[in-house]
Amino acid sequence: MVTSPASAQEAQGTVPAAPGGKAAIPIVIAVPCERPSGEQRVATVPEVVQKLTKSGFEIRIEHDAGADAYYPDEFFRAAGAKIVDGRTGLFNGARIVLHVQPPTPAEIDQLAEGTIVIGFMNPANNLDTVARMRDRKITAFALELVPRITRAQSMDALSSQATAGGYVAAILGADNCPKFLPMLTTAAGTIRPATVLILGAGVAGLMAIATAKRLGAIVEAYDVRRAAGEQVRSLGAKFLELEINAEGQGGYARELTPEEKVKEQEMVSAAVARADIVITTAAIPGRKAPVLITRKTVAAMRPGAVVIDMAAESGGNCELTRAGETVREQGVTIIGPRNLPARVAFHASQMYAKNLQAFLSLLVERDGGLVKEFTDEILIASLLVHAGAVCHGPTREMLGGGKA
Ligand code: NAD
């Protein structure tokens, strides 16, 4: 059982408790501008602000935090938020900070001990940030650690953002393809539909399949999890069958054996060679992405073919992918986009904000105060750092193991 900073602050008398236990002053939630370049999303939207203020929270939004997602300050103000210019005023007295990306070092240093920060933390790639939050006694919840159980579906930000990413990947593929996607019968002749191949039919892959189908393409898909076949077929796409079932724990894929990898490679290469657009989404949590398209496979692709590598940031599913860049090799365009959900920032922010609203409901008691202990299994699983300790085992080990 983990004691929440709320009870610690109440014990110190810094949070006046009203009769019945309800906080006499509203809990302040701060929403800063996202600093990393290319990040256009914002952690809350006016519709959610309206609901949170009705529930008794005070919401502070940093000036222009929603501007890049097309949520101007005046919309937030009309929804009941206070717009704050400058971080001192934003964080002063804030109990909770909502983020999309991990907080910056400067920001962590500005937060009071016990402040709760919620957002994507990408801990394996941000160990310095984790250590800084630990040392500053920040309480951080990492949304990528929310367990994928039915009760947590409304707070599954990995899925909501993968949905946004899968949609953008299909559009990006169509935009870079020199062909029409649908079949056309015109006075100038008949156009054959383009073939789109999706490798990895998880949340992003399924959304890419649905989007490419709507654009009129012939869609094929492959996943190491045989269970994905039914979902692929229900979207009207063809599922490529390989005599391997690599379903691992919790619905995720396990790593293939060397022999399985050779068989997979042969089948995937043949499908890649006949595709006009290939969208790759294959990932194994916590590991480098598997290479599914080798340099040799690219050489066998059609001129004008496009690869959208959604795994670019975790090493890439194509051997030639360079994260954040577009590579042209023998007439094939290989795009390794970063942060695809940010390209549909308006709706990606809306979905993310609703995920956070659902997550916040776990932190609040019926009387409106913060929970005294983190006993809910979703809170326990997603608690990254708390009270000067790293609570997530794998991250603790990466930081040198030992005690929490
Ligand atoms: P992910 O981003 O971890 O991986 C994407 C896909 O790539 C997965 O479908 C995976 O099987 C596939 N893949 C991995 N290695 C591959 C390879 N070598 N070749 C081809 N494909 C490969 O996946 P995700 O979108 O996060 O979803 C993972 C699973 O979790 C799915 O079964 C999904 O339905 C499930 N899920 C459950 C819930 C829930 O119950 N609340 C929510 C979201 C997702």
Side-chain angles (χ1 to χ4, degrees):
M1 196 178 296
V2 189
T3 308
S4 95
S7 52
Q9 284 177 321
E10 276 160 16
Q12 288 165 15
T14 50
V15 178
K22 184 168 179 166
I25 50 169
I27 295 167
V28 175
I29 299 180
V31 182
C33 262
E34 296 296 325
R35 293 291 194 259
S37 84
E39 184 51 83
Q40 292 179 249
R41 292 170 291 176
V42 60
T44 197
V45 298
E47 182 192 344
V48 170
V49 165
Q50 200 168 27
K51 293 193 174 119
L52 292 175
T53 37
K54 256 197 194 148
S55 312
F57 291 102
E58 178 187 320
I59 313 293
R60 290 186 200 153
I61 310 275
E62 187 174 1
H63 167 56
D64 267 353
D68 288 346
Y70 299 93
Y71 296 102
D73 284 351
E74 54 271 30
F75 288 15
F76 279 115
R77 205 176 281 117
K82 291 184 182 162
I83 305 299
V84 182
D85 214 349
R87 293 217 153 176
T88 310
L90 182 73
F91 294 138
N92 192 15
R95 303 282 298 284
I96 299 175
V97 176
L98 301 182
H99 253 295
V100 179
Q101 300 281 347
T104 61
E107 182 180 332
I108 294 168
D109 292 347
Q110 277 180 293
L111 300 177
E113 196 174 291
T115 306
I116 298 173
V117 184
I118 311 168
F120 283 128
M121 297 291 165
N122 192 1
N125 295 314
N126 289 296
L127 291 175
D128 288 352
T129 303
V130 176
R132 202 168 189 126
M133 290 195 290
R134 174 198 61 199
D135 297 344
R136 296 272 309 144
K137 295 196 170 63
I138 301 300
T139 295
F141 287 99
L143 289 180
E144 50 275 85
L145 300 179
V146 168
R148 286 180 140 177
I149 53 174
T150 306
R151 194 167 67 83
Q153 271 180 1
S154 59
M155 29 196 118
D156 185 351
L158 272 184
S159 286
S160 73
Q161 302 308 293
T163 299
Y167 171 83
V168 179
I171 302 292
L172 198 58
D175 191 30
N176 283 276
C177 178
K179 296 184 176 180
F180 287 114
L181 264 61
M183 189 180 102
L184 297 180
T185 309
T186 77
T190 300
I191 306 283
R192 287 161 57 94
T195 299
V196 178
L197 172 68
I198 316 286
L199 298 177
V203 179
L206 290 171
M207 187 61 186
I209 292 170
T211 307
K213 277 299 288 181
R214 287 185 195 120
L215 290 172
I218 293 173
V219 184
E220 297 186 341
Y222 169 64
D223 196 293
V224 274
R225 292 179 301 108
R226 216 178 276 165
E230 204 176 308
Q231 291 168 307
V232 167
R233 282 187 287 269
S234 75
L235 291 169
K238 181 181 170 195
F239 187 65
L240 304 175
E241 299 277 0
L242 186 72
E243 294 307 307
I244 291 172
N245 184 11
E247 188 147 343
Q249 278 186 343
Y252 289 104
R254 68 164 167 84
E255 203 163 19
L256 298 183
T257 65
E259 298 78 47
E260 288 173 336
K261 277 186 184 158
V262 172
K263 277 195 182 174
E264 178 191 58
Q265 193 65 60
E266 283 168 3
M267 189 194 69
V268 168
S269 299
V272 170
R274 61 176 181 260
D276 297 298
I277 299 172
V278 183
I279 297 169
T280 67
T281 77
I284 300 168
R287 285 175 181 266
K288 188 184 170 302
V291 172
L292 304 177
I293 307 177
T294 60
R295 182 183 289 273
K296 202 170 138 208
T297 311
V298 172
M301 290 178 80
R302 294 173 170 177
V306 184
V307 176
I308 308 292
D309 192 342
M310 288 191 70
E313 285 174 291
S314 57
N317 290 142
C318 175
E319 208 178 334
L320 300 177
T321 298
R322 286 208 293 267
E325 293 181 32
T326 297
V327 175
R328 288 208 169 75
E329 184 88 10
Q330 300 184 46
V332 178
T333 305
I334 301 138
I335 303 178
R338 289 185 192 275
N339 199 351
L340 281 178
R343 299 194 195 196
V344 278
F346 183 89
H347 278 137
S349 300
Q350 181 183 316
M351 293 164 95
Y352 187 80
K354 290 200 173 164
N355 294 144
L356 280 180
Q357 183 191 349
F359 189 90
L360 280 170
S361 68
L362 303 177
L363 285 170
V364 183
E365 304 269 24
R366 278 175 161 232
D367 64 10
L370 284 177
V371 291
K372 303 265 184 293
E373 277 146 4
F374 302 140
T375 50
D376 189 289
E377 63 175 320
I378 299 170
L379 294 181
I380 292 170
S382 55
L383 188 62
L384 179 64
V385 290
H386 177 59
V390 177
C391 308
H392 180 237
T395 305
R396 191 165 61 237
E397 271 174 34
M398 278 186 265
L399 275 165
K403 67 174 186 64

